[in-house]
Amino acid sequence: MAAAAAGTQVAPPARALPIGSRLAFGFGSIAYGIKDNGFATFLLLYYNQVVGLPATTVGAAILCALLVEAFVDPLVGFLSDNTRTRWGRRHPWMYASAIPVAIGWILLWNPPEWGPSAVTWYLFGSALLVRIALSAFEIPASALGPELSSDYDERTRLFSYRYLFGWAGGLAMLSLAYAIFLVPDATHPIGLQNGPGYARMALFGAVAMVVTIIGSSLGLHREINYLPRVPASHETLAEHVSIFRRTIANRAFITLMIASLFAYTAQGVSFALSNYLYQYVWHFHGADYQWLAASLLAGAALAFVLAPRLSAGGDKPKIGAMLGLGNATLAVLPYVLRQLGLFPDIGSPALIPLLLGIFCINTACGVGAFILGSAMLSDVVEDAEARTGKRSEGIFFSGSFFIQKTTTGLGTFIAGSVLAFAAFPVAATPELVTPAIIDRLTLVFICLMFSLYGIAAAITSRFPFGRADHLARLERLGVKAG
């Protein structure tokens, strides 16, 4: 094994991790799934339909919070990379993040009864607190991925656990929201407009996030002794900036980030509009939402199984691009068929099963593509180490989160603009949402989803190296391949 100094390990062994460590690595992403589900699926709707802010105002506030927070992420990554404690580089940040995340989450869903401008600033501030606090966990925790093993396929398995648990956490909250928290009552005939239900959902989510963050950190604590022992850095700020520029000026990293730019923007638009589409295009009600959550979870589980198997023995970029193209096609298929009059009518017994079947396979393709993208980012870490002699997992994963969060915010902003273009009413009831509004909404959705996801798939196919390059790098680094 190569070393920068006597007794200093600069790359992890190419090993298969024990199942407990894989589970712990995935378990922590439940917190991220809960946050992502809330931000992407309910936050725009809550502040628009319940609090009463214009959709464009909500979208702009969320986008501004994410833009500010996204610029904080590289600092979190740098500090994580340069932390030196007996608990390693990552764990102090992971443990410390739990309580601030919970506080921010509760504040976000309990806005005071202020005027519109003040509430907009409150939304901005509380959203920013949640995102920065969770970054202090998610960036160091994700950066552990390439540190735990150098094995090409083990990394795909690791991130498949992370995505499975993340989706499971988000979808569990989605199911609980529809079944328990956001249900109609005497004063709220439309469950998604039940304001007190959001406060109860926030309290439950805050507790769940603390449990998963601490549980994951404890579960991975035993791996600290196996992590690369990186020497303390004494570089000046100018030297750090120079190294940072060389690190991110990496063709493979830039390729992944451009692909992510389009993919996460599409995902942000899709998630922000999802409840509008479920309720007003497909007329979901009651148990339909529970079947929806089950079908999406089945798709995520299918990706968990298929992504490592499809890439085993092959190259991740090609498989990721194929899955991305499938995602682009299936994301718009029901809406295209509806516009052409080829999809079952509302009320048809075939409508919900067919729709949920498409959603399931679409989710499998999308999640599978994201799993492989994260695994490819771990390969970029190695490539950068071979070029610069420095391990910078935190910087790379903070860069990934920079793109993800900025574009998710952009997606939410675009979704607000789409609703404004479609003239979608505030506090909407079914009779106020005309067929013309629905047609404008779905046509723009079709164009955005296919173009954004399709471009992401095309760029992923251009990722510059695969399995053979990975094995050659391990040999140069002096790491025995698994």
Side-chain angles (χ1 to χ4, degrees):
M1 186 175 297
T8 299
Q9 178 182 332
V10 297
R15 65 188 180 112
L17 269 68
I19 187 64
S21 296
R22 291 180 187 171
L23 290 171
F25 184 73
F27 186 64
S29 66
I30 291 176
Y32 192 83
I34 292 172
K35 181 275 306 173
D36 225 29
N37 173 70
F39 266 80
T41 306
F42 291 111
L43 196 59
L44 173 62
L45 185 143
Y46 172 66
Y47 274 89
N48 173 228
Q49 298 287 306
V50 179
V51 179
L53 295 179
T56 51
T57 300
V58 178
I62 296 171
L63 175 61
C64 288
L66 298 186
L67 285 172
V68 172
E69 183 258 340
F71 283 97
V72 175
D73 282 356
L75 177 61
V76 174
F78 169 71
L79 292 173
S80 174
D81 280 342
N82 289 277
T83 296
R84 301 293 183 272
T85 72
R86 63 189 180 91
W87 287 354
R89 298 190 291 169
R90 315 299 179 189
H91 273 75
W93 293 90
M94 292 160 63
Y95 285 122
S97 67
I99 299 303
V101 167
I103 292 172
W105 193 245
I106 292 172
L107 290 175
L108 181 63
W109 299 97
N110 290 272
E113 294 183 3
W114 294 343
S117 295
V119 172
T120 301
W121 281 105
Y122 180 92
L123 166 61
F124 168 80
S126 55
L128 186 60
L129 172 59
V130 171
R131 304 294 301 223
I132 291 176
L134 194 55
S135 289
F137 170 75
E138 190 64 23
I139 290 173
S142 296
L144 281 174
E147 293 185 304
L148 289 168
S149 176
S150 290
D151 185 79
Y152 191 73
D153 294 315
E154 180 65 19
R155 288 173 172 173
T156 304
R157 285 190 289 270
L158 270 177
F159 282 99
S160 68
Y161 276 86
R162 199 154 190 84
Y163 274 85
L164 176 65
F165 276 92
W167 273 76
L171 291 174
M173 283 303 301
L174 187 74
S175 181
L176 290 171
Y178 292 136
I180 297 175
F181 299 117
L182 306 181
V183 295
D185 59 26
T187 55
H188 304 93
I190 297 177
L192 291 174
Q193 296 175 7
N194 187 340
Y198 286 95
R200 293 190 292 270
M201 183 174 71
L203 180 59
F204 181 90
V207 173
M209 285 193 279
V210 169
V211 170
T212 57
I213 287 172
I214 298 300
S216 174
S217 302
L218 288 172
L220 288 168
H221 203 97
R222 61 183 174 182
E223 293 290 340
I224 291 173
N225 291 333
Y226 296 95
L227 300 178
R229 291 178 286 279
V230 182
S233 174
H234 301 289
E235 66 197 24
T236 66
L237 178 61
E239 290 170 338
H240 165 67
V241 171
S242 176
I243 293 172
F244 178 78
R245 287 175 178 171
R246 293 202 311 272
T247 298
I248 64 174
N250 180 300
R251 180 187 168 196
F253 180 65
I254 292 171
T255 300
L256 276 183
M257 292 306 97
I258 295 175
S260 297
L261 175 71
F262 288 96
Y264 281 113
T265 298
Q267 187 180 77
V269 173
S270 176
F271 284 1
L273 292 178
S274 60
N275 274 316
Y276 294 89
L277 297 170
Y278 298 150
Q279 184 169 355
Y280 297 103
V281 176
W282 303 116
H283 293 214
F284 277 24
H285 62 277
D288 294 339
Y289 286 104
Q290 302 307 313
W291 287 113
L292 168 69
S295 69
L296 297 179
L297 181 57
L302 187 59
F304 169 79
V305 173
L306 288 181
R309 284 167 172 76
L310 289 174
S311 63
D315 286 334
K316 297 169 191 173
K318 294 178 182 178
I319 304 301
M322 291 173 58
L323 291 173
L325 183 59
N327 182 33
T329 303
L330 292 168
V332 303
L333 181 61
Y335 301 94
V336 171
L337 294 177
R338 176 188 173 277
Q339 291 295 120
L340 296 174
L342 299 176
F343 210 73
D345 294 330
I346 301 300
S348 168
L351 174 67
I352 298 300
L354 178 59
L355 190 63
L356 296 184
I358 294 174
F359 285 173
C360 176
I361 301 173
N362 176 34
T363 300
C365 290
V367 175
F370 283 122
I371 288 171
L372 294 176
S374 293
M376 284 187 277
L377 186 57
S378 296
D379 300 334
V380 172
V381 170
E382 274 175 2
D383 181 65
E385 182 186 2
R387 293 171 185 270
T388 68
K390 183 178 178 67
R391 291 191 67 87
S392 304
E393 295 92 341
I395 289 177
F396 281 118
F397 278 89
S398 69
S400 175
F401 279 100
F402 175 92
I403 295 293
Q404 179 178 341
K405 293 168 183 178
T406 303
T407 53
T408 299
L410 178 61
T412 304
F413 175 75
I414 292 172
S417 301
V418 170
L419 292 172
F421 171 79
F424 205 94
V426 174
T429 55
E431 64 272 11
L432 294 177
V433 184
T434 65
I437 292 174
I438 294 301
D439 286 341
R440 285 195 296 269
L441 180 63
T442 54
L443 283 172
V444 176
F445 181 80
I446 289 167
C447 294
L448 286 172
M449 290 300 99
F450 191 75
S451 58
L452 292 172
Y453 275 132
I455 292 171
I459 295 172
T460 299
S461 69
R462 307 299 298 173
F463 188 76
F465 47 74
R467 183 181 296 271
D469 305 275
H470 165 80
L471 294 175
R473 272 194 308 276
L474 289 189
E475 184 175 353
R476 291 197 302 272
L477 291 170
V479 178
K480 183 179 179 181

